[in-house]
Amino acid sequence: MKVLVVGSGGREHALCWAIAKSKKLQKLFCAPGNGGIAQVCECVDIGAEDISGIVNFAKLEKIGLVVVGPEAPLVAGMADCLEDAGIKVFGPSAEAAMIEGSKGMMKDLCAKYDIPTANYARFDECNAAKEYIRAHGAPIVVKADGLAAGKGVILCRNENEAYAAIDHIMTENAFGNAGAEVVIEEFMTGEEASFFALVDGKHTLPLVAAQDHKAVGDGDEGPNTGGMGAYSPAPIVDKAMAKTIMETIIEPTIRGMAADGTPYKGVLFAGLMITDAGPKLIEYNCRFGDPECQALMVRLESDLLEVLLAAVAGELDKVELKWSRNAALTVVMAVNGYPGSYEKGSEIKGIDDAEAGGAVVFHAGTKTDGEKILANGGRVLNVTALAPDVAKAKAKAYDAVAKIDWPEGFCRGDIGWRAIDR
Ligand code: AMP
Ligand code: GLY
């Protein structure tokens, strides 16, 4: 069958790389893709948020399955429009994607179905929000309700920072309409983990856990990014912990959403805080994590396309997934300046050398110019390795990083430290 992946990041490169190995695949497209994705499939020049463009292309090419990578087109209704046009799609409806699209709605769902998460309140008015902060004190967390490209969460150490966060979001409109409402919540402490499950509307199939590194600098210093590296498995999520996460968080969510008339389909990504009182939900995402997906895809031994088709058909109960026992680790190489302002267009050399030792270099933000590979985004490459444990995967990934000749790029040097310390 013909398959279309929507998106242009490292996550989509990893999805394309995995789907390209499927025996069910006839032809693979990606819209819009990037310089690395173009090496595994045909990239088409349609934006990831151009819903009518994607629907028209899928009809024209008789696409058998569309896999939507990022959240924005899902929240905007891409899956609904494809389904209306009779095209199979992996990804939730717009209503179900609100689990990521509105933090307030997600929190209300947790409250209704008794899912462990930070205590919270919702506000659409500044003064009431500040009154709540005064009453609860700091540390406290202020979040823009809507999609803010991962930047809408402000961790406030004291009350003044929290008032400033309210002004930033609600008065200065830093995130536009996404900040018309805020969620204020209790500050949780613990170790974070990312947990993934596939959902077909009726059945829920746990995938595996991963851990991300959100801060830009070594030792988790500096501003937050989309993620500077990840590994899987996450030692903190052992078998017993995974069972608790499924039973107390994922399954009640899926049952609750079905009962509320917005059944979930696709991949559900739970950002978790493993606290002394057990796992608690930080947030849900309606998509794979980036860069967690890259680590997951190199560990997956099952045919991804067959698994996604089973999810679309409501047959996840018939799927048994096979995962490598090895650990996967991915190091994000970003361009100098990221997550602040940066320049595009610097040339990257040495990717073939880096891959010669067995690493896989996924492209997150590149474009080609003839034979040249140029940086074309903030996060640019995801250097990924599989090895018997996290320490060995780290060594293999950084050996590959050392072969990449790109003076304008940087990476963290300590990806995997938490697992290795343990
Ligand atoms: P989010 O975009 O909701 O995943 O939040 C970004 C990051 O902020 C998370 O990965 C956590 O490190 C942190 N965070 C969010 N909510 C909380 C909370 N209630 N308590 C402590 N840290 C939080
Ligand atoms: N790596 C975190 C995310 O994809 O949201």
Side-chain angles (χ1 to χ4, degrees), residues 103 118 141 143 150 153 155 185-189 192 214 224 273 282-283:
K103 293 193 189 318
V141 184
K143 301 184 175 186
V153 173
L155 307 178
E185 57 180 55
E186 168 202 1
F187 184 88
M188 297 187 286
T189 50
E192 282 183 54
K214 293 231 160 101
N224 261 3
M273 189 71 85
I282 300 175
E283 61 158 7

Side-chain angles (χ1 to χ4, degrees), residues 85-131:
I87 297 155
K88 284 186 187 160
V89 54
F90 177 79
S93 67
E95 271 191 318
M98 287 309 278
I99 195 120
E100 175 166 1
S102 165
K103 293 193 189 318
M105 279 180 59
M106 180 225 106
K107 299 294 285 189
D108 287 353
L109 184 93
C110 288
K112 184 169 172 190
Y113 293 103
D114 214 10
I115 294 158
T117 187
N119 293 326
Y120 75 106
R122 302 174 69 171
F123 297 95
D124 58 9
E125 198 274 312
C126 250
N127 291 327
K130 289 182 178 173
E131 202 47 56

Side-chain angles (χ1 to χ4, degrees), residues 25-151:
L25 183 71
Q26 182 200 340
K27 178 152 193 195
L28 180 60
F29 298 93
C30 186
N34 65 36
I37 295 174
Q39 295 167 6
V40 291
C41 70
E42 184 177 328
C43 291
V44 286
D45 190 16
I46 304 170
E49 290 173 39
D50 178 357
I51 294 183
S52 59
I54 296 287
V55 172
N56 289 337
F57 178 80
K59 281 204 277 199
L60 192 74
E61 283 289 343
K62 301 199 165 50
I63 298 291
L65 179 69
V66 179
V67 181
V68 185
E71 64 278 13
L74 291 166
V75 171
M78 186 175 279
D80 311 70
C81 292
L82 285 162
E83 269 184 7
D84 288 348
I87 297 155
K88 284 186 187 160
V89 54
F90 177 79
S93 67
E95 271 191 318
M98 287 309 278
I99 195 120
E100 175 166 1
S102 165
K103 293 193 189 318
M105 279 180 59
M106 180 225 106
K107 299 294 285 189
D108 287 353
L109 184 93
C110 288
K112 184 169 172 190
Y113 293 103
D114 214 10
I115 294 158
T117 187
N119 293 326
Y120 75 106
R122 302 174 69 171
F123 297 95
D124 58 9
E125 198 274 312
C126 250
N127 291 327
K130 289 182 178 173
E131 202 47 56
Y132 181 88
I133 290 164
R134 208 162 290 130
H136 284 77
I140 198 160
V141 184
V142 177
K143 301 184 175 186
D145 181 74
L147 293 185
K151 299 191 180 96

